Protein backbone atom coordinates (compact mmCIF):
# COMPACT_ATOMS: atom_id res chain seq x y z
CA UNK A 1 0.00 0.00 0.00
CA UNK A 2 1.33 3.41 -0.95
CA UNK A 3 2.42 5.53 2.01
CA UNK A 4 4.23 8.83 2.14
CA UNK A 5 5.98 11.33 4.33
CA UNK A 6 7.29 14.80 3.60
CA UNK A 7 10.07 13.58 1.29
CA UNK A 8 9.20 10.15 -0.14
CA UNK A 9 6.58 7.86 -1.59
CA UNK A 10 6.95 4.33 -0.17
CA UNK A 11 5.67 1.10 -1.75
CA UNK A 12 6.76 -1.80 -3.91
CA UNK A 13 6.90 -0.34 -7.40
CA UNK A 14 7.42 3.31 -6.55
CA UNK A 15 10.69 3.09 -8.51
CA UNK A 16 10.38 -0.18 -10.41
CA UNK A 17 8.26 0.43 -12.35
CA UNK A 18 5.01 2.10 -11.38
CA UNK A 19 7.09 5.26 -11.62
CA UNK A 20 7.45 4.79 -15.37
CA UNK A 21 3.89 3.50 -15.85
CA UNK A 22 2.37 6.50 -14.10
CA UNK A 23 4.61 8.96 -15.95
CA UNK A 24 3.84 7.49 -19.38
CA UNK A 25 0.13 7.12 -18.74
CA UNK A 26 -0.30 10.63 -17.39
CA UNK A 27 1.67 12.02 -20.35
CA UNK A 28 -0.56 10.28 -22.91
CA UNK A 29 -3.67 11.55 -21.09
CA UNK A 30 -2.22 15.03 -20.94
CA UNK A 31 -1.32 15.14 -24.65
CA UNK A 32 -4.75 13.81 -25.59
CA UNK A 33 -6.48 16.48 -23.51
CA UNK A 34 -4.30 19.17 -25.06
CA UNK A 35 -5.36 18.08 -28.55
CA UNK A 36 -1.86 16.99 -29.54
CA UNK A 37 -1.75 15.03 -32.81
CA UNK A 38 1.57 13.28 -33.52
CA UNK A 39 2.86 12.84 -37.04
CA UNK A 40 3.38 9.12 -36.49
CA UNK A 41 1.83 6.29 -34.50
CA UNK A 42 2.63 6.20 -30.80
CA UNK A 43 2.03 2.87 -29.06
CA UNK A 44 2.19 2.60 -25.28
CA UNK A 45 2.84 -0.98 -24.15
CA UNK A 46 2.41 -1.94 -20.49
CA UNK A 47 2.98 -5.44 -19.16
CA UNK A 48 2.37 -7.02 -15.78
CA UNK A 49 4.86 -9.87 -15.91
CA UNK A 50 8.26 -8.27 -16.42
CA UNK A 51 9.45 -9.94 -13.20
CA UNK A 52 7.75 -13.28 -13.78
CA UNK A 53 8.70 -14.55 -17.20
CA UNK A 54 7.96 -11.59 -19.49
CA UNK A 55 5.37 -13.70 -21.32
CA UNK A 56 3.41 -10.64 -22.41
CA UNK A 57 6.50 -8.89 -23.71
CA UNK A 58 7.66 -11.97 -25.60
CA UNK A 59 4.27 -12.04 -27.32
CA UNK A 60 4.44 -8.34 -28.16
CA UNK A 61 8.00 -8.59 -29.49
CA UNK A 62 7.83 -11.87 -31.39
CA UNK A 63 4.17 -12.49 -32.27
CA UNK A 64 2.86 -9.07 -33.29
CA UNK A 65 3.98 -8.24 -36.86
CA UNK A 66 2.45 -4.76 -36.55
CA UNK A 67 4.67 -3.95 -33.56
CA UNK A 68 7.71 -5.41 -35.29
CA UNK A 69 7.42 -2.49 -37.74
CA UNK A 70 8.27 -0.04 -34.94
CA UNK A 71 11.27 2.11 -35.81
CA UNK A 72 12.43 2.06 -32.19
CA UNK A 73 11.18 1.80 -28.61
CA UNK A 74 11.70 4.01 -25.57
CA UNK A 75 11.70 2.28 -22.21
CA UNK A 76 10.57 3.92 -18.97
CA UNK A 77 12.06 1.06 -16.92
CA UNK A 78 15.72 1.99 -17.35
CA UNK A 79 18.08 4.91 -17.69
CA UNK A 80 17.68 8.12 -15.74
CA UNK A 81 19.83 10.56 -13.83
CA UNK A 82 22.28 10.02 -10.98
CA UNK A 83 22.46 12.45 -8.05
CA UNK A 84 25.29 12.69 -5.55
CA UNK A 85 24.74 12.75 -1.80
CA UNK A 86 24.11 16.50 -1.86
CA UNK A 87 21.42 16.19 -4.54
CA UNK A 88 23.58 17.49 -7.39
CA UNK A 89 22.96 15.88 -10.78
CA UNK A 90 26.07 13.99 -11.92
CA UNK A 91 25.09 12.39 -15.23
CA UNK A 92 22.07 11.22 -17.17
CA UNK A 93 22.30 7.64 -18.41
CA UNK A 94 20.65 6.44 -21.61
CA UNK A 95 20.37 2.68 -21.25
CA UNK A 96 21.55 1.14 -24.53
CA UNK A 97 22.32 -2.39 -23.34
CA UNK A 98 21.55 -4.75 -20.49
CA UNK A 99 23.01 -7.84 -18.96
CA UNK A 100 21.57 -11.29 -19.56
CA UNK A 101 19.30 -12.45 -16.74
CA UNK A 102 19.60 -16.14 -15.86
CA UNK A 103 18.84 -18.24 -12.78
CA UNK A 104 19.89 -21.70 -11.67
CA UNK A 105 18.68 -23.88 -8.85
CA UNK A 106 21.55 -25.87 -7.40
CA UNK A 107 20.57 -28.91 -5.32
CA UNK A 108 22.50 -31.22 -3.04
CA UNK A 109 20.84 -34.59 -2.35
CA UNK A 110 21.27 -37.22 0.35
CA UNK A 111 19.67 -40.44 1.57
CA UNK A 112 18.72 -38.64 4.81
CA UNK A 113 17.62 -40.49 7.91
CA UNK A 114 16.78 -39.78 11.56
CA UNK A 115 18.39 -36.76 13.17
CA UNK A 116 19.48 -38.88 16.15
CA UNK A 117 21.72 -40.84 13.79
CA UNK A 118 23.65 -38.14 11.91
CA UNK A 119 25.76 -39.03 8.88
CA UNK A 120 29.12 -37.58 7.95
CA UNK A 121 27.57 -36.27 4.74
CA UNK A 122 24.61 -33.89 4.84
CA UNK A 123 22.75 -32.19 2.00
CA UNK A 124 22.62 -28.87 3.81
CA UNK A 125 26.33 -28.96 4.61
CA UNK A 126 27.14 -29.83 1.00
CA UNK A 127 24.98 -26.97 -0.23
CA UNK A 128 26.46 -24.56 2.32
CA UNK A 129 29.93 -25.46 1.06
CA UNK A 130 28.83 -24.74 -2.52
CA UNK A 131 27.28 -21.42 -1.49
CA UNK A 132 30.45 -20.37 0.30
CA UNK A 133 32.50 -21.05 -2.82
CA UNK A 134 30.11 -19.03 -4.98
CA UNK A 135 30.24 -16.16 -2.47
CA UNK A 136 34.02 -16.10 -2.54
CA UNK A 137 34.31 -16.26 -6.32
CA UNK A 138 34.61 -13.13 -8.42
CA UNK A 139 34.03 -13.31 -12.16
CA UNK A 140 36.76 -11.65 -14.25
CA UNK A 141 36.56 -7.97 -15.05
CA UNK A 142 34.73 -7.14 -18.28
CA UNK A 143 34.40 -3.86 -20.11
CA UNK A 144 33.36 -2.26 -23.37
CA UNK A 145 33.91 1.15 -24.92
CA UNK A 146 30.49 2.11 -23.56
CA UNK A 147 31.20 1.10 -19.95
CA UNK A 148 34.64 2.71 -19.98
CA UNK A 149 33.14 5.97 -21.24
CA UNK A 150 30.42 5.69 -18.58
CA UNK A 151 33.03 5.52 -15.81
CA UNK A 152 35.11 8.27 -17.38
CA UNK A 153 32.18 10.70 -17.47
CA UNK A 154 30.74 9.66 -14.10
CA UNK A 155 34.11 9.72 -12.37
CA UNK A 156 34.85 13.21 -13.67
CA UNK A 157 31.59 14.52 -12.25
CA UNK A 158 31.65 12.52 -9.00
CA UNK A 159 35.20 13.22 -7.89
CA UNK A 160 36.67 11.96 -4.65
CA UNK A 161 38.14 8.52 -4.05
CA UNK A 162 35.37 6.69 -5.89
CA UNK A 163 35.56 9.07 -8.82
CA UNK A 164 39.31 8.53 -9.06
CA UNK A 165 38.77 4.76 -9.12
CA UNK A 166 36.30 5.20 -11.98
CA UNK A 167 38.77 7.29 -13.97
CA UNK A 168 41.56 4.80 -13.34
CA UNK A 169 39.35 1.92 -14.45
CA UNK A 170 38.28 3.83 -17.56
CA UNK A 171 41.91 4.36 -18.53
CA UNK A 172 43.06 0.89 -17.52
CA UNK A 173 40.42 -1.78 -16.78
CA UNK A 174 43.29 -4.09 -15.82
CA UNK A 175 44.04 -2.00 -12.74
CA UNK A 176 43.15 -4.46 -9.97
CA UNK A 177 42.89 -1.84 -7.22
CA UNK A 178 40.43 0.28 -9.20
CA UNK A 179 38.33 -2.74 -10.14
CA UNK A 180 38.30 -3.91 -6.52
CA UNK A 181 37.18 -0.45 -5.35
CA UNK A 182 34.29 -0.41 -7.82
CA UNK A 183 33.37 -3.96 -6.81
CA UNK A 184 32.64 -2.71 -3.27
CA UNK A 185 29.88 -0.46 -4.63
CA UNK A 186 26.55 -2.22 -5.20
CA UNK A 187 25.58 0.53 -7.65
CA UNK A 188 28.59 -0.07 -9.90
CA UNK A 189 29.89 -3.63 -9.50
CA UNK A 190 27.46 -4.89 -12.15
CA UNK A 191 29.02 -2.59 -14.73
CA UNK A 192 32.41 -4.23 -14.32
CA UNK A 193 31.69 -7.96 -14.51
CA UNK A 194 29.20 -10.80 -14.46
CA UNK A 195 27.67 -11.29 -11.02
CA UNK A 196 26.00 -14.32 -9.43
CA UNK A 197 24.33 -14.25 -6.04
CA UNK A 198 22.30 -16.67 -3.94
CA UNK A 199 18.82 -15.25 -3.41
CA UNK A 200 16.70 -18.08 -1.92
CA UNK A 201 17.11 -21.30 0.08
CA UNK A 202 14.98 -24.42 0.57
CA UNK A 203 16.07 -27.45 2.58
CA UNK A 204 14.86 -30.35 4.70
CA UNK A 205 11.33 -31.41 5.59
CA UNK A 206 11.26 -31.91 9.38
CA UNK A 207 13.29 -30.77 12.37
CA UNK A 208 13.91 -34.36 13.47
CA UNK A 209 14.99 -35.68 10.07
CA UNK A 210 18.23 -35.44 8.15
CA UNK A 211 17.72 -33.41 4.97
CA UNK A 212 17.31 -35.40 1.79
CA UNK A 213 17.74 -32.30 -0.36
CA UNK A 214 18.84 -28.71 -0.08
CA UNK A 215 18.36 -26.16 -2.86
CA UNK A 216 19.72 -22.67 -3.42
CA UNK A 217 18.56 -20.23 -6.08
CA UNK A 218 21.48 -18.54 -7.82
CA UNK A 219 20.63 -15.47 -9.88
CA UNK A 220 23.19 -14.21 -12.39
CA UNK A 221 23.48 -11.05 -14.47
CA UNK A 222 25.77 -11.87 -17.35
CA UNK A 223 27.93 -9.30 -19.10
CA UNK A 224 26.85 -8.80 -22.74
CA UNK A 225 28.70 -11.03 -25.15
CA UNK A 226 29.38 -13.79 -22.61
CA UNK A 227 27.46 -17.02 -23.38
CA UNK A 228 25.24 -18.31 -20.59
CA UNK A 229 26.79 -21.75 -21.08
CA UNK A 230 30.17 -20.32 -20.06
CA UNK A 231 28.70 -19.06 -16.79
CA UNK A 232 27.21 -22.44 -15.90
CA UNK A 233 30.53 -24.12 -16.71
CA UNK A 234 32.34 -21.68 -14.43
CA UNK A 235 29.86 -22.15 -11.58
CA UNK A 236 30.20 -25.93 -11.81
CA UNK A 237 33.98 -25.58 -11.63
CA UNK A 238 33.71 -23.24 -8.64
CA UNK A 239 31.37 -25.58 -6.74
CA UNK A 240 33.59 -28.54 -7.65
CA UNK A 241 31.08 -31.15 -6.49
CA UNK A 242 29.57 -33.43 -9.10
CA UNK A 243 26.88 -34.38 -6.58
CA UNK A 244 25.38 -30.89 -6.78
CA UNK A 245 22.78 -30.68 -9.55
CA UNK A 246 22.29 -27.57 -11.69
CA UNK A 247 18.90 -26.71 -13.16
CA UNK A 248 18.46 -23.61 -15.30
CA UNK A 249 15.14 -21.84 -14.78
CA UNK A 250 13.45 -20.31 -17.80
CA UNK A 251 14.97 -19.36 -21.13
CA UNK A 252 17.61 -16.62 -20.84
CA UNK A 253 17.61 -13.93 -23.50
CA UNK A 254 20.85 -12.45 -24.81
CA UNK A 255 20.22 -9.06 -26.42
CA UNK A 256 22.39 -6.75 -28.54
CA UNK A 257 23.48 -3.17 -27.85
CA UNK A 258 21.28 -0.45 -29.35
CA UNK A 259 23.53 2.19 -30.84
CA UNK A 260 22.34 5.72 -30.10
CA UNK A 261 20.65 7.76 -32.83
CA UNK A 262 20.86 11.54 -33.09
CA UNK A 263 17.17 12.41 -33.05
CA UNK A 264 16.43 10.36 -29.93
CA UNK A 265 19.52 11.70 -28.14
CA UNK A 266 18.53 15.28 -29.04
CA UNK A 267 14.99 14.81 -27.73
CA UNK A 268 16.14 13.27 -24.46
CA UNK A 269 18.77 15.99 -24.10
CA UNK A 270 16.11 18.66 -24.38
CA UNK A 271 14.03 17.01 -21.66
CA UNK A 272 17.01 16.51 -19.34
CA UNK A 273 18.44 19.98 -19.88
CA UNK A 274 15.08 21.55 -19.09
CA UNK A 275 15.78 20.49 -15.51
CA UNK A 276 19.58 20.26 -15.46
CA UNK A 277 21.13 22.55 -18.09
CA UNK A 278 24.39 21.30 -19.57
CA UNK A 279 24.27 17.90 -17.87
CA UNK A 280 26.22 15.18 -19.69
CA UNK A 281 24.20 12.37 -21.28
CA UNK A 282 26.02 9.07 -21.68
CA UNK A 283 25.03 5.63 -22.99
CA UNK A 284 25.11 2.97 -20.29
CA UNK A 285 24.60 -0.72 -19.64
CA UNK A 286 21.86 -1.77 -17.23
CA UNK A 287 22.94 -4.23 -14.55
CA UNK A 288 19.36 -5.42 -14.15
CA UNK A 289 16.97 -6.79 -16.73
CA UNK A 290 14.04 -5.12 -18.48
CA UNK A 291 11.45 -5.87 -21.14
CA UNK A 292 13.72 -4.00 -23.53
CA UNK A 293 15.83 -7.12 -24.08
CA UNK A 294 13.07 -8.77 -26.11
CA UNK A 295 12.41 -5.75 -28.30
CA UNK A 296 16.14 -5.49 -29.00
CA UNK A 297 16.31 -9.17 -29.84
CA UNK A 298 13.32 -8.71 -32.16
CA UNK A 299 15.26 -6.08 -34.10
CA UNK A 300 13.69 -2.97 -32.53
CA UNK A 301 16.37 -0.62 -31.15
CA UNK A 302 15.43 0.23 -27.56
CA UNK A 303 16.71 2.88 -25.18
CA UNK A 304 15.93 3.34 -21.51
CA UNK A 305 15.20 7.02 -20.91
CA UNK A 306 13.39 7.24 -17.57
CA UNK A 307 12.64 10.65 -16.15
CA UNK A 308 13.86 9.68 -12.69
CA UNK A 309 16.76 11.42 -10.95
CA UNK A 310 18.00 9.70 -7.78
CA UNK A 311 21.06 8.97 -5.68
CA UNK A 312 22.01 5.37 -6.64
CA UNK A 313 22.44 4.58 -2.94
CA UNK A 314 18.70 5.17 -2.46
CA UNK A 315 17.74 2.61 -5.10
CA UNK A 316 15.94 -0.09 -3.09
CA UNK A 317 13.90 -1.52 -5.97
CA UNK A 318 12.45 -4.99 -5.20
CA UNK A 319 12.90 -4.36 -1.49
CA UNK A 320 10.29 -3.92 1.21
CA UNK A 321 11.84 -0.48 1.75
CA UNK A 322 11.43 0.67 -1.87
CA UNK A 323 10.88 4.42 -2.10
CA UNK A 324 11.11 7.33 -4.48
CA UNK A 325 11.75 10.98 -3.57
CA UNK A 326 8.70 13.14 -4.17
CA UNK A 327 10.97 15.64 -5.89
CA UNK A 328 12.00 12.94 -8.38
CA UNK A 329 8.40 12.05 -9.14
CA UNK A 330 7.02 15.55 -9.61
CA UNK A 331 10.19 16.75 -11.32
CA UNK A 332 9.73 14.14 -14.05
CA UNK A 333 6.19 15.06 -15.08
CA UNK A 334 7.28 17.05 -18.16
CA UNK A 335 10.02 14.63 -19.20
CA UNK A 336 8.03 12.39 -21.54
CA UNK A 337 5.93 15.24 -22.90
CA UNK A 338 9.05 17.02 -24.11
CA UNK A 339 10.52 13.87 -25.67
CA UNK A 340 7.32 12.89 -27.48
CA UNK A 341 6.70 16.38 -28.85
CA UNK A 342 10.30 16.61 -30.03
CA UNK A 343 10.24 13.23 -31.79
CA UNK A 344 6.79 13.36 -33.34
CA UNK A 345 6.60 17.01 -34.46
CA UNK A 346 2.86 16.90 -34.04
CA UNK A 347 0.23 19.62 -34.11
CA UNK A 348 -2.24 21.11 -31.63
Amino acid sequence: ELTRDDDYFYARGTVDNKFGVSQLTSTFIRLKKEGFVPNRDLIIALSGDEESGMTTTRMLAYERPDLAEAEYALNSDAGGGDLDASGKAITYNIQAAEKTYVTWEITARNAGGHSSRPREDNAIYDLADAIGKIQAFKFPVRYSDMTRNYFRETGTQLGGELGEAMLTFADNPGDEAAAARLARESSYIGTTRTTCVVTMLKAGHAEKALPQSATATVNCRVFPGVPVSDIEKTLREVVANEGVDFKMLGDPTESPISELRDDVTAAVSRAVHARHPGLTLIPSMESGGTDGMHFRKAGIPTWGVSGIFMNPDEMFAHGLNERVPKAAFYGALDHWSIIIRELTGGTR
Side-chain angles (χ1 to χ4, degrees), residues 25-347:
T25 305
S26 63
T27 297
F28 269 59
I29 293 171
R30 171 182 174 182
L31 293 175
K32 188 72 172 178
K33 287 183 175 180
E34 292 177 353
F36 179 77
V37 180
N39 62 8
R40 62 189 304 161
D41 290 338
L42 296 176
I43 300 171
I44 183 170
L46 309 178
S47 70
D49 52 11
E50 185 261 358
E51 292 170 11
S52 56
M54 300 187 183
T55 302
T56 303
T57 304
R58 292 171 190 263
M59 179 274 292
L60 294 173
Y62 309 135
E63 301 176 22
R64 287 283 300 270
D66 55 330
L67 295 185
E69 296 177 358
E71 188 172 354
Y72 55 82
L74 302 179
N75 187 0
S76 71
D77 192 25
D82 287 343
L83 305 178
D84 65 16
S86 69
K88 175 188 174 183
I90 302 172
T91 59
Y92 181 88
N93 307 313
I94 299 178
Q95 187 242 40
E98 58 190 275
K99 299 172 82 172
T100 303
Y101 178 103
V102 59
T103 299
W104 285 273
E105 283 186 345
I106 63 171
T107 301
R109 304 186 190 280
N110 192 280
H114 199 283
S115 63
S116 66
R117 303 173 63 183
R119 305 162 54 100
E120 289 189 0
D121 55 348
N122 182 295
I124 291 178
Y125 297 160
D126 290 343
L127 182 67
D129 180 63
I131 290 172
K133 291 176 179 177
I134 292 173
Q135 179 187 12
F137 179 75
K138 297 291 187 295
F139 282 87
V141 170
R142 297 276 181 177
Y143 58 90
S144 65
D145 290 343
M146 180 171 61
T147 59
R148 292 178 70 177
N149 184 60
Y150 169 80
F151 280 123
R152 184 172 291 108
E153 294 290 346
T154 303
T156 300
Q157 297 297 322
L158 187 62
E161 177 207 6
L162 181 57
E164 286 298 321
M166 290 180 178
L167 292 174
T168 300
F169 184 88
D171 291 336
N172 178 19
D175 189 295
E176 294 183 2
R181 176 65 185 90
L182 295 179
R184 298 206 306 269
E185 299 290 329
S186 61
S187 298
Y188 300 113
I189 181 174
T191 312
T192 66
R193 67 190 73 210
T194 291
T195 60
C196 290
V197 62
V198 175
T199 56
M200 293 194 295
L201 292 170
K202 179 175 63 177
H205 64 278
E207 63 179 82
K208 58 184 178 295
L210 300 177
Q212 291 181 274
S213 67
T215 299
T217 302
V218 182
N219 181 248
C220 299
R221 311 300 176 112
V222 182
F223 204 91
V226 179
V228 168
S229 59
D230 286 1
I231 303 304
E232 179 171 339
K233 180 175 182 292
T234 298
L235 288 175
R236 288 180 179 272
E237 292 172 349
V238 168
V239 170
N241 184 343
E242 293 184 359
V244 174
D245 296 330
F246 279 71
K247 177 185 177 183
M248 185 187 298
L249 304 183
D251 181 22
T253 300
E254 299 177 24
S255 60
I257 295 174
S258 295
E259 299 296 337
L260 299 190
R261 50 185 282 166
D262 292 341
D263 57 344
V264 172
T265 302
V268 177
S269 296
R270 183 171 178 180
V272 170
H273 292 158
R275 285 187 280 169
H276 300 283
L279 188 67
T280 300
L281 280 72
I282 54 177
S284 66
M285 177 189 70
E286 180 74 24
S287 295
T290 76
D291 286 336
M293 69 177 72
H294 293 292
F295 292 108
R296 288 193 181 99
K297 186 176 180 180
I300 302 172
T302 302
W303 298 280
V305 291
S306 171
I308 199 167
F309 271 83
M310 284 184 65
N311 183 331
D313 292 337
E314 287 192 311
M315 190 64 71
F316 300 118
H318 291 215
L320 297 178
N321 57 344
E322 187 170 350
R323 67 190 188 186
V324 66
K326 287 184 173 181
F329 181 83
Y330 291 116
L333 290 177
D334 288 334
H335 180 82
W336 284 101
S337 177
I338 294 172
I339 292 174
I340 290 173
R341 289 179 182 279
E342 185 78 6
L343 288 174
T344 64
T347 60

